[in-house]
Amino acid sequence: MSDHLIPQEINSANSTITVLGLGHIGLPTALGLADLGWKVIGADDDAKKVGLIRSGDPIFFEPGLSELLTKHLQSGKFQPVDDVEAAVRAASIIFICVGTPQKASGQADLAQVEAVARVVARNLNGYKLIVEKSTVPAITAQWLKRTIVRYNAGKSLGAPGGSAPGSPAPLEFDIASNPEFLREGRAVEDFFHPDRIVCGVDSERARKILTDLYTPLGRPIVITDTSTAELIKHAANAFLSTKISFINMVSDLCEKVGADVTAVTRGIGLDSRIGPQFLDAGVGYGGYCFPKDLRAFIHLAEEHGVNFSLLQEVEAINQRRVDIFIRKVHETLWTLRGKTLGILGLAFKAGTDDIREAVSLKIIQALLDEGSILRLYDPQAMPNTQAVFPPSTDRLTYCSSAYEAAQGAQGLLLVTEWDEFRQLDLTRVREVMEVPILVDGRNLFDPATVRKAGFEYVSMGRDKARGVATKAHTPKPTA
Ligand code: UDX
């Protein structure tokens, strides 16, 4: 690939950006770029989704997103379309934000990414910078480049101004990796105020385009090669998952010895080398990223014969959290069959309506299997949850408030750390419950405050474990 600069400067004054895929990453990215002054085409092959977005519906909850969508539909800076081929032809920079779901093996399913590469290959009508934003395993950029060359082979629609039919257009493109670090519930905030921007490039012109694009954000820009950038993304999510499983492992020991895991978090988190974030013990991590990205990272390592057993244990610890929580509910409530339980929080985390790999889904299923009667409430995620667990008059009720979920309940389970739950009038909650027992899966509440309000209260890693003394752990003999 030649390294000379493109014939003309690519900038927001004279170039268009196309964002392919209008999901949790694509839509905030497209609107963020529009807010930076770029003309942005948002392309998705789901015409229904595009229609809703075009009507001003961002189709998922994300603080600040709806306002940004309205603003840039009106400014004309953002144009949602379902003609992906035309969108590719119209752009000088293309951000790939399509889904990378996981296969049963844990491997990332890159079929959507390859499909996009073929569309680009067919519509390479002049220089384009193709930027991976979806989370992909390292060396995907190399596959993208190879695929575009393979499927271009003279099939382009010709250079600007049209070339003689059948003559191959100049094969001018670069691939870059620009992984997103957006957190759901903070995607708009994280777009404009990222800790850092990682740009994996294999040419000076790609470096210049992305550096010019992101400089207005005034944040550190880390320039690497593409494979390094791809690996940074997986390593970041894997490390954050490791912190969470680490503190959950410690939380279980805290219960055995009567220590307080929230104090452990404070005590170790004040060490600037550790930091307090992502050390909140609870029912574990969910979401579309951590579980999937960890498995993809492990799979990538296994493909290359590298031992990633540490991360396998990170995943195993996380998968045990639901069983630990249900056991805690049993130890606190005794029998569960026929008992009415309120569940506060369904989204995989606060600030989103997303329930993908949410711990709540596993907890609901386990309690339904136990024969409990459930009253559910979440500020945003109930419509998505109803698609998985439809309401049923005798077993499953969706409520319009936390107080309604507590109505007549013999136990209340806190599963998602919404701020709204922190503000609850605990006296009112206690008055509507049949038995005031609160099992806090996210250590959201202060134990003394809850107990003073008249509750029996248990949480994660802050109560001496009940039940029979467990036998001493005999460590496995080391190989
Ligand atoms: C994550 C990464 O943070 C983000 O950088 C990446 O781009 C996408 O994946 P997200 O999945 O939106 O973002 O949620 P995040 O805020 O990271 O939380 C993930 C899960 O961990 C949630 O279920 C949350 O409840 C849980 N969590 C988080 C804990 O259990 N304890 C913590 O201390 C922090």
Side-chain angles (χ1 to χ4, degrees), residues 31-230:
L31 293 169
L33 291 167
D35 218 50
L36 289 180
W38 288 84
K39 180 169 172 22
V40 180
I41 299 172
D44 198 297
D45 57 10
D46 179 339
K48 182 168 177 289
K49 178 196 285 191
V50 170
L52 286 169
I53 293 172
R54 195 180 283 142
S55 71
D57 176 356
I59 66 174
F60 54 84
F61 176 73
E62 189 61 65
L65 195 64
S66 185
E67 296 81 351
L68 215 46
L69 175 58
T70 302
K71 177 181 174 185
H72 290 301
L73 285 173
Q74 282 171 358
S75 74
K77 284 286 185 190
F78 175 62
Q79 188 192 354
V81 301
D82 57 23
D83 183 344
V84 174
E85 309 240 354
V88 166
R89 287 198 297 276
S92 305
I93 304 173
I94 297 164
F95 279 90
I96 298 177
C97 299
V98 294
T100 56
Q102 66 184 358
K103 297 177 182 173
S105 65
Q107 184 179 23
D109 180 345
L110 300 176
Q112 293 181 54
V113 175
E114 173 164 354
V116 158
R118 295 187 196 174
V119 171
V120 171
R122 285 198 304 273
N123 293 281
L124 209 53
N125 56 346
Y127 175 81
K128 295 185 193 300
L129 173 61
I130 297 105
V131 186
E132 286 171 343
K133 207 148 199 29
S134 306
T135 303
V136 292
I139 78 165
T140 299
Q142 295 170 29
W143 272 108
L144 270 177
K145 191 179 290 187
R146 196 174 299 136
T147 301
I148 291 172
V149 172
R150 276 177 181 169
Y151 286 86
N152 178 270
K155 292 190 177 59
S156 291
L157 292 167
S163 49
S167 66
L171 194 56
E172 290 276 330
F173 72 96
D174 282 314
I175 304 286
S177 167
N178 172 222
E180 47 73 24
F181 297 95
L182 308 182
R183 279 167 289 179
E184 291 190 39
R186 293 175 48 102
V188 175
E189 168 77 14
D190 284 349
F191 177 87
F192 289 106
H193 307 288
D195 288 341
R196 76 322 200 164
I197 296 146
V198 172
C199 297
V201 293
D202 293 332
S203 75
E204 171 50 28
R205 62 185 172 186
R207 185 202 62 75
K208 182 173 184 331
I209 293 168
L210 286 180
T211 305
D212 291 352
L213 187 152
Y214 280 121
T215 296
L217 289 179
R219 311 296 287 184
I221 298 178
V222 177
I223 301 293
T224 70
D225 64 80
T226 53
S227 295
T228 301
E230 290 163 334

Side-chain angles (χ1 to χ4, degrees), residues 346 353 355 361 376 381-391 396 398:
L346 302 172
D353 59 357
I355 60 166
L361 303 181
L376 310 178
M382 290 196 286
N384 287 335
T385 309
Q386 289 182 6
V388 180
F389 290 106
L396 202 62
Y398 286 85

Side-chain angles (χ1 to χ4, degrees), residues 1-15:
M1 197 62 61
S2 60
D3 245 0
H4 69 278
L5 284 188
I6 42 179
Q8 58 169 18
E9 282 287 296
I10 288 184
N11 58 47
S12 56
N14 60 22
S15 299

